[in-house]
């Protein structure tokens, strides 16, 4: 996996590069601000970029804006945003253009190196990785519709894990149940949300969008 | 243009007066004020008279009170116009009184409007303004007649304004009635007498104008301002806003420092520990690369120590613990830590309240930092004392001077901070030094 890192704190930038190199990934560039990030992505066309949201000069959302541009200009590059706080507004802006190849994690998650690289892999492959915090906040802000209310607690838990971007196998692992049980729950979710099987639409994505109120 | 200016500059002050900008603006003020004064006076007096007249009978009372209320409201509007004139023409800037926005039931609102002190002060101004404005117009006649008389030779010679045969001669007009005493010009030479009188009148005109305008200025300040209490309220509102801004800025800075400092360190610490754990492998397995593992643990250790340092600096920035032992100890610590030698003299027999001590401490810290960063001074004197019921903090250095409030010196922030407790900050810092900054704070706030 070829990676570009954009993070203004040098300590973390170097440690991330070290960790990814350690695991056999190629770090093409490690930069400290959004302009350098755009340049590095254009030059290296990496599989994925790890981007801090708050970077100089304004320390607000330059990372997010760069991420949205990158998704538009270089669709082959996934973007994993991370920051010390989860902002619902930022999550919405990021997901507005689609959930493929994007991720948004709390910075603390890098402390679990294995999970972090797993999320990074998912984003690089065009998948999604949303922090549980993002999912909770978006779902909390969403309008609770009747069909969502009819889900059982377990079904909602499965749906939340789906929203984080996990596969059925990963959900089974997280909940310590069999893959069959997860499939049963997922089918129940589709049924209650009134999503019949069809070739035109991905029911999984539709269910998650409904859940997040997008 | 330039010639008249330099020419005017050579004249002594008294002779120059009619040529000054101030004299002309004051004359313009006199000219503009009278129509407004007259109309305002008539309207307000009529409304008040109607109101008062109707109030005599029980039936008319309500209507009468309404007239009174309208008259004070109108007076407020007129006062605003007069305030504008005074500000634009005289540079006499007076803050407007607070708007009257009574709430509640009809009678409560009516009552509030009847008791509107600022409204009644406006009424007083409108009433007093008419005689003043009349005198102001009279003052203008000094300018007009002065110019007329001064131009008498010109009128005689160029425009051929001559008395018809049998008339007494061309009259000289004076602002002060001279009865039959004013000379009449019967010849061209005679017109120069009139011109001399005109010149004298013109020289006097600015002083007459200035005198009556001074009376008006006094009235404007006394009657059109917000009143003492409202002024105090305004001041408090302003300083409260400063206090809120100050604490918001402080919180923002804290968040930034935490975000960029300790939080990053802790994330890095957790990350390197996790990487180290992975490297250790499962139970009993030999460690593949002990050097690498040691480096990861060293990184973790460095980050932990750095996080501790940053947190300590941060908490000292919020409240330095040494301040608990009183300002003298805190200032001594501050002086000891300074890289420029500090001569310290503290005489505070009675402890100020904690808030004041904190502000004084941070002022001293900021001022010392300024000295170290900007002044190039070799020594600093830091004095703190209780004088005339005020806590005085004075920082004097032998540096290059030229420090001003607002030049990104951090002094602006200090001024705002001390204002929040009704304190003041005075600075003398001529180019080339020395610089002396005095902070005065009420000891109990």
């Amino acid at each position: 996996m070829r990676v570009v890192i954009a993070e203004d704190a040098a300590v973390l930038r170097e440690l991330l590069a070290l960790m990814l190199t350690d695991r056999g990934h190629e770090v093409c560039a490690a930069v400290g601000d959004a302009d350098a990030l755009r340049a590095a992505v254009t030059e290296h066309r990496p599989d994925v970029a790890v981007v801090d949201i708050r970077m100089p000069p304004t320390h607000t959302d330059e990372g997010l804006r760069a991420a949205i541009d990158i998704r538009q200009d270089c669709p082959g590059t996934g973007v994993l945003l991370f920051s010390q706080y989860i902002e619902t507004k930022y999550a919405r802006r990021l997901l507005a253009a689609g959930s493929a190849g994007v991720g948004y994690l709390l910075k603390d998650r890098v402390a679990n190196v294995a999970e972090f690289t797993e999320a990074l892999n998912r984003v690089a492959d065009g998948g999604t990785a949303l922090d549980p915090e993002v999912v909770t906040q978006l779902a909390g802000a969403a309008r609770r519709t009747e069909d969502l209310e009819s889900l059982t607690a377990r079904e909602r838990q499965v749906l939340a894990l789906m929203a984080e971007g996990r596969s059925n196998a990963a959900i089974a692992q997280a909940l310590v149940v069999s893959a069959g049980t997860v499939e049963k729950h997922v089918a129940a979710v589709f049924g209650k949300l009134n999503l019949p099987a069809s070739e035109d639409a991905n029911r999984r994505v539709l269910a998650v969008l409904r859940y997040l109120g997008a | 243009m330039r010639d008249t200016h330099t020419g005017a500059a050579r004249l002594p002050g008294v002779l120059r007066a009619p040529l000054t900008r101030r004299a002309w603006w004051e004359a313009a003020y006199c000219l503009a004020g009278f129509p407004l004064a007259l109309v305002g006076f008539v309207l307000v007096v009529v409304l008040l008279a109607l109101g008062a007249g109707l109030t005599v009978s029980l039936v008319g009372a309500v209507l009468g009170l309404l007239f009174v209320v309208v008259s004070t409201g109108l007076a407020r509007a007129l006062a605003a116009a007069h305030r504008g004139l005074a500000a634009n023409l005289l540079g006499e800037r007076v803050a407007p009184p607070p708007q009257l926005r009574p709430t509640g039931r009809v009678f409560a609102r009516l009552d509030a409007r009847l008791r509107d002190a600022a409204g009644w002060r406006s009424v007083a101004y409108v009433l007093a303004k008419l005689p003043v404005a009349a005198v102001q117009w009279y003052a203008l006649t000094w300018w007009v007649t002065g110019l007329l008389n001064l131009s008498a030779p010109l009128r005689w010679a160029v425009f051929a304004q001559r008395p018809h045969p049998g008339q007494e001669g061309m009259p000289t007009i004076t602002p002060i009635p001279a009865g039959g005493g004013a000379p009449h010009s019967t010849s061209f030479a005679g017109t120069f007498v009139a011109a001399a009188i005109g010149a004298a009148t013109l020289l006097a005109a600015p002083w007459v104008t200035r005198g009556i305008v001074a009376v008006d200025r006094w009235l404007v300040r006394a009657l059109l301002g917000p009143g003492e209490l409202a002024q105090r309220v305004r001041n408090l509102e302003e300083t409260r806003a400063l206090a809120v801004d100050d604490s918001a800025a402080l919180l923002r800075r804290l968040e930034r420092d935490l975000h960029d400092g300790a939080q990053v360190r802790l994330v890095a610490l957790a990350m390197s520990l996790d990487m180290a754990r992975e490297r250790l492998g499962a139970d009993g397995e030999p460690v593949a690369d002990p050097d690498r593992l040691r480096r990861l643990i060293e990184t973790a250790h460095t980050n932990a120590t750095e996080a501790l340092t940053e947190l300590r600096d941060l908490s000292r920035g919020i409240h330095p613990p040494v301040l608990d032992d009183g300002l003298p100890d805190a200032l001594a610590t501050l002086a000891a830590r300074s890289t420029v030698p500090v001569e310290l003299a503290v005489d505070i027999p009675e402890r100020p309240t904690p808030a004041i001590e904190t502000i004084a401490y941070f002022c001293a810290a900021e001022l010392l930092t300024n000295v170290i960063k900007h002044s190039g001074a070799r020594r600093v004197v830091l004095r703190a004392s209780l004088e005339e019921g005020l806590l005085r903090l004075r920082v004097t250095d032998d540096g290059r001077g030229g420090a001003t409030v607002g030049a990104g010196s951090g002094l602006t922030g200090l001024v705002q901070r001390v204002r929040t407790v009704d304190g003041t900050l005075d600075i003398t810092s001529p180019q080339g030094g020395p610089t002396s900054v005095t902070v005065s704070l009420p000891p109990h706030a």
Side-chain angles (χ1 to χ4, degrees):
Chain A
M1 184 163 55
R2 301 173 63 247
V3 189
V4 164
I5 300 169
E7 156 68 59
D8 61 328
V11 192
L12 209 52
R13 189 168 64 222
E14 279 154 24
L15 206 54
L16 269 173
L18 179 74
M19 185 268 282
L20 289 170
T21 321
D22 236 18
R23 302 187 148 238
H25 302 298
E26 184 194 341
V27 176
C28 312
V31 298
D33 63 77
D35 288 338
L37 166 68
R38 286 191 178 92
V41 167
T42 315
E43 190 192 332
H44 299 290
R45 300 275 160 178
D47 299 315
V48 66
V50 181
V51 181
D52 183 11
I53 291 189
R54 262 167 77 159
M55 281 189 292
T58 66
H59 293 275
T60 50
D61 65 345
E62 26 287 284
L64 173 65
R65 276 185 276 135
I68 291 169
D69 292 349
I70 290 169
R71 283 306 296 152
Q72 204 150 45
D73 303 339
C74 317
T77 300
V79 181
L80 179 68
L81 283 172
F82 70 155
S83 65
Q84 264 155 17
Y85 319 101
I86 294 295
E87 297 283 353
T88 316
K89 197 178 68 184
Y90 290 169
R92 276 191 209 292
R93 274 167 64 190
L94 179 69
L95 293 173
S99 61
V102 296
Y104 186 6
L105 293 184
L106 214 50
K107 230 175 217 179
D108 307 7
R109 306 296 173 210
V110 299
N112 189 330
V113 177
E115 265 197 38
F116 180 74
T117 38
E118 202 263 325
L120 196 59
N121 267 317
R122 215 155 59 207
V123 173
D125 292 342
T128 313
L130 293 185
D131 200 281
E133 188 90 356
V134 176
V135 173
T136 321
Q137 282 194 16
L138 283 180
R143 215 161 14 92
R144 303 261 73 163
T145 54
E146 221 170 277
D147 42 10
L148 279 176
E149 293 295 343
S150 69
L151 298 181
T152 65
R154 195 59 158 181
E155 284 160 2
R156 206 168 292 150
Q157 210 173 0
V158 169
L159 187 50
L161 287 167
M162 268 162 69
E164 285 175 27
R166 295 180 196 248
S167 66
N168 279 2
I171 295 174
Q173 205 181 353
L175 297 181
V176 204
V177 293
S178 73
T181 317
V182 172
E183 271 163 36
K184 212 178 69 204
H185 286 310
V186 170
V189 169
F190 290 159
K192 286 184 179 171
L193 296 186
N194 218 351
L195 297 167
S198 103
E199 286 183 3
D200 309 334
N202 184 337
R203 289 197 289 179
R204 222 176 157 79
V205 174
L206 290 180
V208 167
L209 287 179
R210 187 88 57 86
Y211 180 60
L212 298 182
Chain B
M1 200 60 214
R2 169 176 295 206
D3 283 344
T4 46
H5 263 288
T6 48
R10 270 189 224 110
L11 296 170
V14 179
L15 297 180
R16 211 164 52 223
L19 297 174
T20 56
R21 199 173 285 251
R22 172 175 175 178
W24 294 346
W25 282 120
E26 287 183 343
Y29 177 77
C30 291
L31 184 67
F34 185 75
L36 189 63
L38 183 64
V39 174
F41 182 89
V42 171
L43 284 175
V44 168
V45 164
V46 167
L47 282 170
L48 276 180
L50 273 175
L54 284 166
T55 319
V56 173
S57 82
L58 203 58
V59 185
V62 173
L63 196 61
L65 288 178
L66 279 179
F67 273 116
V68 173
V69 166
V70 170
S71 73
T72 55
L74 177 71
R76 265 174 171 266
L78 289 165
H82 283 298
R83 232 182 350 256
L85 279 180
N88 290 319
L89 300 176
L90 300 182
E92 191 70 55
R93 280 171 218 291
V94 176
Q99 295 248 327
L100 189 67
R101 289 213 187 78
T103 51
R105 299 161 65 91
V106 178
F107 279 102
R109 290 209 299 262
L110 189 66
D111 186 53
R113 287 195 184 280
L114 284 173
R115 290 166 191 276
D116 172 18
W120 286 109
R121 279 189 290 118
S122 300
V123 169
Y125 181 81
V126 169
L127 296 184
K129 174 74 181 183
L130 184 66
V132 170
V135 178
Q136 284 171 344
W137 264 32
Y138 166 71
L140 286 179
T141 62
W142 286 63
W143 292 87
V144 175
T145 59
L147 281 172
L148 268 178
N149 291 335
L150 191 62
S151 67
L154 198 70
R155 285 184 284 135
W156 183 290
V158 181
F159 299 105
Q161 283 187 3
R162 285 163 207 178
H164 297 291
Q167 276 185 335
E168 265 186 282
M170 202 163 88
T172 306
I173 313 150
T174 52
I176 301 168
H184 286 62
S185 315
T186 48
S187 65
F188 180 60
T191 58
F192 283 94
V193 179
I197 293 173
T201 317
L202 261 190
L203 282 180
W207 303 105
V208 178
T209 322
R210 188 169 300 182
I212 187 62
V213 166
V215 173
D216 205 345
R217 282 179 196 269
W218 181 79
L219 283 176
V220 166
R221 278 197 296 265
L223 296 174
L224 296 188
E228 218 170 286
L229 201 59
Q231 186 68 53
R232 176 76 187 141
V233 169
R234 186 187 299 258
N235 204 9
L236 284 175
E237 277 173 352
E238 215 175 285
T239 50
R240 185 186 59 177
L242 286 179
V244 172
D245 284 353
D246 189 52
S247 59
L250 180 71
L251 286 178
R252 207 158 36 237
R253 207 174 59 229
L254 278 178
E255 193 272 342
R256 267 294 291 282
D257 287 352
L258 272 174
H259 180 273
D260 297 346
Q263 265 182 322
V264 168
R265 295 283 175 191
L266 289 175
V267 167
L269 165 65
M271 197 175 154
S272 27
L273 281 179
D274 198 50
M275 285 162 77
R277 184 177 52 196
E278 277 193 338
R279 224 150 247 291
L280 276 176
D283 275 346
E285 249 179 71
V287 174
D289 186 352
D291 274 354
R292 192 78 198 233
L293 183 61
R294 188 171 299 116
R295 273 211 299 283
L296 280 172
I297 291 172
E298 269 165 14
T299 313
H301 181 254
T302 313
N303 279 319
T305 351
E306 287 290 322
L308 281 174
T309 313
E310 270 155 19
L311 285 175
R312 187 174 52 236
D313 287 350
L314 210 59
S315 56
R316 189 159 55 204
I318 301 169
H319 177 80
V322 64
L323 207 47
D324 293 339
D325 300 334
L327 201 50
D329 284 5
L331 291 179
T333 312
L334 209 55
R337 229 188 287 142
S338 163
T339 48
V340 178
V342 179
E343 183 189 311
L344 187 68
V346 182
D347 176 25
I348 310 173
E350 191 189 338
R351 255 191 104 156
T353 45
I356 297 300
E357 282 191 331
T358 307
I359 291 179
Y361 174 83
F362 280 111
C363 283
E366 180 77 27
L367 290 172
L368 281 181
T369 310
N370 275 351
V371 170
I372 293 165
K373 270 205 286 199
H374 305 297
S375 76
R378 274 163 308 162
R379 51 191 291 278
V380 193
V381 181
L382 172 58
R383 283 177 202 290
S385 56
L386 276 176
E387 293 166 27
E388 300 154 20
L390 286 175
L391 174 63
R392 285 258 164 74
L393 187 76
R394 181 168 298 143
V395 176
T396 315
D397 70 64
D398 59 355
R400 64 177 72 94
T404 48
V405 173
S409 54
L411 283 174
T412 317
L414 283 192
V415 171
Q416 292 182 354
R417 190 172 280 195
V418 301
R419 270 199 69 192
T420 59
V421 289
D422 282 340
T424 55
L425 185 145
D426 298 300
I427 176 167
T428 53
S429 181
Q431 285 296 339
T435 301
S436 173
V437 181
T438 308
V439 175
S440 308
L441 300 164
H444 303 286

